[in-house]
């Protein structure tokens, strides 16, 4: 036996859907022999599926609820279509290449999402995107379905010098809304497959397409997985004749809401909660009063009352002015209701500590059980009145109620983000960048600082705000979240400040923003950010690493066949081949990598054994021993490593023996390209 060739195409999303359906209803599947590979594959028997669905199956109906537009079927097919492309590493643009776990990818995001599927299927905890708003001036990715790419490019002129397809979707275009829907639909379909079961997507949008986006998301993610439509009031001035529109939206959907709500309710970073605003000022005032009055709680309370009364109404601390009582145990509190709101509370005696008589029972009964009473009394959590005729209260300490559920409406001046990024980069290169503090809040709602696996993806990354937000949040809570950013290499306008500063493409500015933001975050908190990952590996979308074989073998001359003995394009490096193989084999691109030189030949080890690869000529026994010493999960060679099939078979058999693999394991784990 000899190893198989590694599949180089991206996943077929139709296959992903079939496999998911197979897990639910295996009885409606059968097997057929694949005409190309000769192997058996699952196919669906629609007659059986209809029988399983009974009266709930429909193929056609005069009237049924649906959302559609011209081009929707083509958009759905585009999402499922596999591609034969790759991501090429760009080490010279990267930061801390050897150690970072963050990724920045340049290219059409639909192609990139498809390429990421094998490695990141079900691995992304959160997606945030800020897609084109379709105002008439925004770029819309040009996924053309009706004519060939070459023909369309020829008459449209919508190709830049890197071969990227995009254009402005002007409001004079007869397919204005349809084109936008056809653009976003396949990208969201593929993106959903990347989310973990408890993953969440946040999508910023304005009025132009918000209703269409809601309908598309209801279809792709399921209406039952809708979380909220968040409204961000930005405070920008508007010159509108009728109503000044100073807000935009963010739609939030879970991949599986049932799984997502099972978060640990005691963990604020995992419970859709945010820290209340204004608390720092309250705590600062309290500490000042303590230094002034010591343990005199009455004087501290009077000071707090005066502090709250003098606050302007728009100060966020004013919302917590009911926290004006203090004790020597846990500090600031307010006297909360002790009654059970349902009216079904317990009815038992609570003895007043002075009169030694039972206190008046509230109408709804006590909100805790009789067994809980000794603990509350021991911890001084009950506030008694002057005598038993007054219903007691429960202490609600500010320290214990610092978090609240995130509001669906919030205000944050949108101009602050523009000023901060302008200061960071030294020029006004983006008109309306997203606010990194808002994105940071979104990330904190659904990711955990305790997890080392939480990945945040942004595939319309623009000014790289998401990367900035993730790094800043990690710095604040010592988390280990990772980011993957994808951005089309759009050209900056000819007369823009960015072009004058030497930035020809948007990713050039974005990468510089990440570099500078990372340095600033570390310099601002040098003691707590020593292990903070502010690096990123850069990749660029490209055509396949391999020469495409378009003709049947009998159509080639002998000279042409000899040329195909090495099917790798001449400009591709070992790193190109390695990362291309990692994509195709489902190995994450962020994993650490080391190299060893054995017999003057380089061996690559990904994550100390997840993958071992050697692309040198004439594989020696020492190389095989060095590879097997790592006990790798996968092993990769290049076809030209072997002068003939016998050498390939010998290496295969040797590895199988050294690693104690069965024939099946060896066929699965050893590949050539």
């Amino acid at each position: 036996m000899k190893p198989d060739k590694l599949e180089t195409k991206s996943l077929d999303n139709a296959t992903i859907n079939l496999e998911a359906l197979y897990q639910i209803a295996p009885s409606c599947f059968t097997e057929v022999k694949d005409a190309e590979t000769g192997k058996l594959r699952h196919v669906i028997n629609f007659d059986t599926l209809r029988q399983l669905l009974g009266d709930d199956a429909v193929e056609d109906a005069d009237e049924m609820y649906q959302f559609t537009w011209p081009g929707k079927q083509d958009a759905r097919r585009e999402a499922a279509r596999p591609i034969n492309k790759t991501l090429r590493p760009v080490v010279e643009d990267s930061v801390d290449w050897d150690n970072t776990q963050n990724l920045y990818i340049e290219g059409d995001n639909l192609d990139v999402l498809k390429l990421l599927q094998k490695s990141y299927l079900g691995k992304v905890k959160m997606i945030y995107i800020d897609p084109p708003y379709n105002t008439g001036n925004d770029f819309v990715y040009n996924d053309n379905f009706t004519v060939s790419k070459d023909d369309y490019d020829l008459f449209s002129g919508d190709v830049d010098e890197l071969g990227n397809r995009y254009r402005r979707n002007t409001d004079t275009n007869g397919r204005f809304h349809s084109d936008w829907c056809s653009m976003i639909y396949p990208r969201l379909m593929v993106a959903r497959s990347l989310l973990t079961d408890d993953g969440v997507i946040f999508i910023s949008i304005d009025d132009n397409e918000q209703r269409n986006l809601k309908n598309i998301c209801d279809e792709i993610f399921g209406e039952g997985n809708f979380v909220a439509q968040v409204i961000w009031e930005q405070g920008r001035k508007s010159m509108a004749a009728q109503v000044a529109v100073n807000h935009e939206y963010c739609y939030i959907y879970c991949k599986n809401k049932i799984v997502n709500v099972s978060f640990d309710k005691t963990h604020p970073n995992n419970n859709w909660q945010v820290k209340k605003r204004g608390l720092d000022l309250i705590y600062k005032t309290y500490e000042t009063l303590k230094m002034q009055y010591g343990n005199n709680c009455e004087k501290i309370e009077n000071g707090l009352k005066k502090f709250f009364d003098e606050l302007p109404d728009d100060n966020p601390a004013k919302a917590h002015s009911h926290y004006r009582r203090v004790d020597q145990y846990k500090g600031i509190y307010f006297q909360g209701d002790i009654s059970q709101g349902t009216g079904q509370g317990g009815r038992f005696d609570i003895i007043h500590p002075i009169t030694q008589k039972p206190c008046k029972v509230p109408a709804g009964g006590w909100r805790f059980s009789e067994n809980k009473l000794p603990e509350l009394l021991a911890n001084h959590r009950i506030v008694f009145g002057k005598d038993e005729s007054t219903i007691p209260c429960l202490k609600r300490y500010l320290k214990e109620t610092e978090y609240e559920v995130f509001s669906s409406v919030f205000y944050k001046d949108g101009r602050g983000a523009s000023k901060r990024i302008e200061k960071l980069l030294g020029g006004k290169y983006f008109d309306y960048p997203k606010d990194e503090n808002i994105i940071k809040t979104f990330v904190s709602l659904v990711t955990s600082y305790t997890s080392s696996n939480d990945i945040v993806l942004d595939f319309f990354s623009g000014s790289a705000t998401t990367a900035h937000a993730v790094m800043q949040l990690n710095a604040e809570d010592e988390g280990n979240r990772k980011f993957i950013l994808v951005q089309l290499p759009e050209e900056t306008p000819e007369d823009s400040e960015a072009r004058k500063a030497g930035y020809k493409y948007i990713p050039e500015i974005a990468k510089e923003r990440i570099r500078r933001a990372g340095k600033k975050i570390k310099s601002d908190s040098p003691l707590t950010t020593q292990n903070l990952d502010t690096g990123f590996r850069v990749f660029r979308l490209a055509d396949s690493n391999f020469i495409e074989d378009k003709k049947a073998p009998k159509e080639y001359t002998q000279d042409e066949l000899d040329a195909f003995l090495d099917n790798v394009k001449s400009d591709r490096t070992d790193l190109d081949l390695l990362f291309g193989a990692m994509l195709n084999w489902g190995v994450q691109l962020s994993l650490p990598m080391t190299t060893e030189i054995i017999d003057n030949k380089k061996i690559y080890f990904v994550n100390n054994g997840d993958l071992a690869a050697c692309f040198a000529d004439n594989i020696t026994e020492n190389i095989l021993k060095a590879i097997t010493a790592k006990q790798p999960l996968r092993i990769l060679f290049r076809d030209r490593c072997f002068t003939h099939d016998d050498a390939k078979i010998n290496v295969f058999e040797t590895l199988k023996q050294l690693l104690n693999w069965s024939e099946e394991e060896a066929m699965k784990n050893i590949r050539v390209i």
Side-chain angles (χ1 to χ4, degrees):
M1 297 292 289
K2 60 182 180 181
D4 288 338
K5 290 287 186 71
L6 185 65
E7 174 59 58
T8 59
K9 286 187 178 181
S10 67
L11 280 179
D12 183 335
N13 278 275
T15 302
I16 296 176
N17 294 332
L18 281 173
E19 289 177 354
L21 185 57
Y22 180 76
Q23 300 302 316
I24 302 171
S27 61
C28 65
F29 281 77
T30 186
E31 292 179 340
V32 298
K33 182 177 288 188
D34 190 290
E36 293 184 6
T37 65
K39 296 180 180 179
L40 293 176
R41 62 185 180 91
H42 282 126
V43 294
I44 194 166
N45 185 321
F46 273 106
D47 289 336
T48 305
L49 181 60
R50 288 189 192 94
Q51 292 169 9
L52 288 177
L53 297 175
D55 294 337
D56 292 324
V58 60
E59 292 185 24
D60 195 14
D62 293 335
E63 293 182 335
M64 60 180 174
Y65 177 79
Q66 60 181 327
F67 174 64
T68 190
W69 65 90
K72 182 177 182 180
Q73 292 184 19
D74 291 323
R76 188 180 286 131
R77 283 191 286 267
E78 175 66 13
R81 180 180 63 86
I83 60 171
N84 191 18
K85 294 187 178 183
T86 192
L87 297 178
R88 299 186 66 182
V90 188
V91 180
E92 60 273 17
D93 282 6
S94 306
V95 174
D96 196 17
W97 173 273
D98 291 333
N99 302 304
T100 185
Q101 298 183 70
N102 302 314
L103 306 179
Y104 187 93
I105 305 172
E106 301 174 25
D108 184 305
N109 53 17
L110 180 55
D111 287 344
V112 172
L113 290 172
K114 289 180 179 181
L115 290 175
L116 293 177
Q117 276 184 299
K118 288 183 179 178
S119 299
Y120 293 91
L121 195 71
K123 301 289 178 60
V124 174
K125 184 64 178 290
M126 173 188 169
I127 296 173
Y128 170 78
I129 57 171
D130 180 23
Y133 283 3
N134 211 22
T135 62
N137 294 307
D138 296 285
F139 282 115
V140 171
Y141 291 58
N142 190 20
D143 305 318
N144 178 61
F145 307 119
T146 56
V147 296
S148 72
K149 175 183 178 300
D150 292 339
D151 288 344
Y152 192 87
D153 294 342
L154 185 63
F155 66 73
S156 70
D158 296 330
V159 181
D160 68 6
E161 62 186 66
L162 298 178
N164 299 297
R165 294 170 291 145
Y166 57 87
R167 60 183 172 78
R168 292 192 184 277
N169 189 31
T170 63
D171 52 15
T172 58
N173 171 24
R175 288 172 47 92
F176 181 64
H177 292 292
S178 294
D179 280 356
W180 191 89
C181 291
S182 291
M183 179 276 295
I184 200 70
Y185 189 85
R187 287 165 173 81
L188 291 179
M189 285 192 72
V190 181
R192 182 187 179 278
S193 71
L194 300 178
L195 284 172
T196 58
D197 286 342
D198 61 350
V200 187
I201 185 168
F202 293 70
I203 310 172
S204 289
I205 200 66
D206 71 351
D207 282 313
N208 290 292
E209 297 294 345
Q210 61 90 12
R211 61 176 179 176
N212 291 331
L213 178 64
K214 178 69 167 61
N215 285 328
I216 288 173
C217 287
D218 281 348
E219 180 174 321
I220 292 175
F221 295 96
E223 192 172 354
N225 288 318
F226 173 68
V227 176
Q229 174 182 309
V230 174
I231 299 174
W232 172 13
E233 183 186 354
Q234 298 177 318
R236 294 190 180 115
K237 292 183 178 179
S238 173
M239 302 302 292
Q242 291 84 28
V243 177
V245 179
N246 296 320
H247 71 278
E248 59 185 52
Y249 309 97
C250 184
Y251 280 110
I252 308 175
Y253 281 80
C254 291
K255 185 176 183 179
N256 188 331
K257 202 171 185 180
I258 296 175
V259 174
N260 192 279
V261 297
S262 66
F263 281 154
D264 178 2
K265 299 301 181 183
T266 65
H267 200 306
N269 275 13
N270 245 8
N271 195 28
W272 296 89
Q273 294 191 355
V274 292
K275 194 169 185 178
K276 296 173 181 176
R277 298 171 61 227
L279 299 187
D280 290 343
L281 181 58
I282 298 173
Y283 289 138
K284 183 179 179 181
T285 302
Y286 171 65
E287 292 300 328
T288 301
L289 291 169
K290 276 188 66 177
M291 290 179 63
Q292 185 175 357
Y293 298 118
N295 292 324
N296 191 324
C297 293
E298 183 179 353
K299 289 186 176 182
I300 295 174
E301 287 177 354
N302 290 333
L304 275 178
K305 181 179 184 301
K306 182 180 179 182
F307 159 73
F308 282 123
D309 290 344
E310 292 177 352
L311 279 177
D313 290 341
D314 60 352
N315 190 302
K318 189 82 168 182
H320 314 299
S321 59
H322 51 298
Y323 285 92
R324 56 179 63 199
R325 300 293 302 273
V326 299
D327 66 18
Q328 65 270 38
Y329 306 109
K330 291 188 177 182
I332 307 171
Y333 70 89
F334 86 92
Q335 297 178 182
D337 189 5
I338 204 169
S339 174
Q340 173 59 263
T342 64
Q344 304 298 316
R347 297 183 181 277
F348 48 86
D349 288 345
I350 295 181
I351 305 300
H352 192 280
I354 297 177
T355 68
Q356 295 299 306
K357 295 180 180 179
C359 292
K360 182 179 179 180
V361 180
W366 307 113
R367 67 183 308 137
F368 48 83
S369 68
E370 189 171 4
N371 292 334
K372 183 75 172 177
L373 178 60
E375 178 187 339
L376 293 173
L377 290 172
N379 292 326
H380 309 282
R381 300 299 295 249
I382 298 179
V383 181
F384 291 92
K386 62 180 180 179
D387 58 38
E388 71 279 359
S389 64
T390 303
I391 299 174
C393 296
L394 274 179
K395 291 181 181 179
R396 305 287 185 185
Y397 288 103
L398 186 58
K399 279 287 185 184
E400 297 175 348
T401 57
E402 290 183 334
Y403 287 85
E404 62 186 355
V405 176
F406 185 71
S407 174
S408 64
V409 180
F410 66 93
Y411 172 82
K412 184 72 186 297
D413 194 321
R415 292 166 292 191
S418 297
K419 292 178 181 177
R420 289 193 298 275
I421 190 173
E422 183 176 347
K423 182 178 179 181
L424 182 68
L425 293 174
K428 188 177 180 181
Y429 305 142
F430 295 98
D431 290 332
Y432 301 109
K434 280 292 176 287
D435 191 310
E436 70 275 14
N437 293 317
I438 299 300
I439 309 306
K440 182 182 70 175
T441 299
F442 290 164
V443 175
S444 73
L445 293 178
V446 297
T447 65
S448 170
Y449 68 87
T450 60
S451 172
S452 61
N453 299 315
D454 282 357
I455 299 173
V456 180
L457 168 66
D458 183 346
F459 54 88
F460 286 97
S461 63
S463 61
T465 300
T466 299
H468 193 160
V470 170
M471 293 188 298
Q472 184 65 55
L473 183 59
N474 282 341
E476 293 174 7
D477 65 12
E478 299 183 21
N480 191 31
R481 306 167 187 85
K482 311 168 185 68
F483 64 77
I484 301 176
L485 266 57
V486 185
Q487 175 58 37
L488 185 78
E490 298 175 26
E491 286 195 25
T492 57
E494 289 280 357
D495 58 348
S496 65
E497 283 194 38
R499 182 65 68 92
K500 293 173 184 175
Y503 297 111
K504 187 175 182 181
Y505 297 101
I506 295 295
E508 295 174 6
I509 318 173
K511 288 179 287 189
E512 184 61 20
R513 192 254 183 98
I514 302 173
R515 296 183 190 107
R516 295 192 185 191
K519 288 180 181 178
K520 184 177 187 305
I521 291 169
K522 284 193 169 184
S523 66
D524 288 347
S525 306
L527 298 180
T528 58
T529 59
Q530 294 176 355
N531 298 319
L532 179 67
D533 183 0
T534 58
F536 54 97
R537 288 180 176 176
V538 178
F539 293 87
R540 190 166 291 144
L541 181 69
D543 290 333
S544 171
N545 290 321
F546 307 101
I547 300 169
E548 189 175 356
D549 185 2
K550 294 183 178 180
K551 296 190 289 187
K554 64 181 180 180
E555 298 179 80
Y556 287 99
T557 66
Q558 186 58 50
D559 289 342
E560 289 174 324
L561 286 172
D562 290 341
F564 272 105
L565 290 176
D566 187 3
N567 64 336
V568 177
K569 292 177 180 176
S570 59
D571 65 334
R572 304 304 160 99
T573 66
D574 280 1
L575 279 183
D576 288 327
L577 298 180
L578 178 60
F579 280 99
M582 289 168 65
L583 278 174
N584 295 322
W585 217 341
V587 180
Q588 293 190 10
L589 302 180
S590 57
L591 293 177
M593 184 183 310
T594 57
T595 60
E596 290 184 18
I597 304 296
I598 304 294
D599 292 343
N600 295 319
K601 303 177 193 298
K602 184 177 288 187
I603 310 174
Y604 297 90
F605 294 102
V606 178
N607 203 29
N608 200 34
D610 278 12
L611 171 64
C614 184
F615 305 121
D617 296 336
N618 301 318
I619 301 299
T620 66
E621 186 176 349
N622 288 332
I623 291 175
L624 298 182
K625 288 181 179 179
I627 288 175
T628 55
K630 298 282 189 181
Q631 292 292 305
L633 303 177
R634 307 170 185 84
I635 302 173
L636 181 70
F637 298 108
R638 189 171 170 175
D639 242 352
R640 78 170 191 187
C641 294
F642 312 100
T643 55
H644 46 77
D645 277 351
D646 286 348
K648 191 184 298 185
I649 294 171
N650 287 336
V651 166
F652 180 85
E653 293 297 330
T654 301
L655 288 171
K656 188 174 71 170
Q657 293 175 13
L658 290 174
L659 292 167
N660 196 28
W661 281 347
S662 67
E663 188 80 19
E664 182 180 356
E665 289 174 323
M667 290 298 296
K668 177 183 176 183
N669 299 332
I670 305 173
R671 289 285 192 275
V672 296
I673 54 175

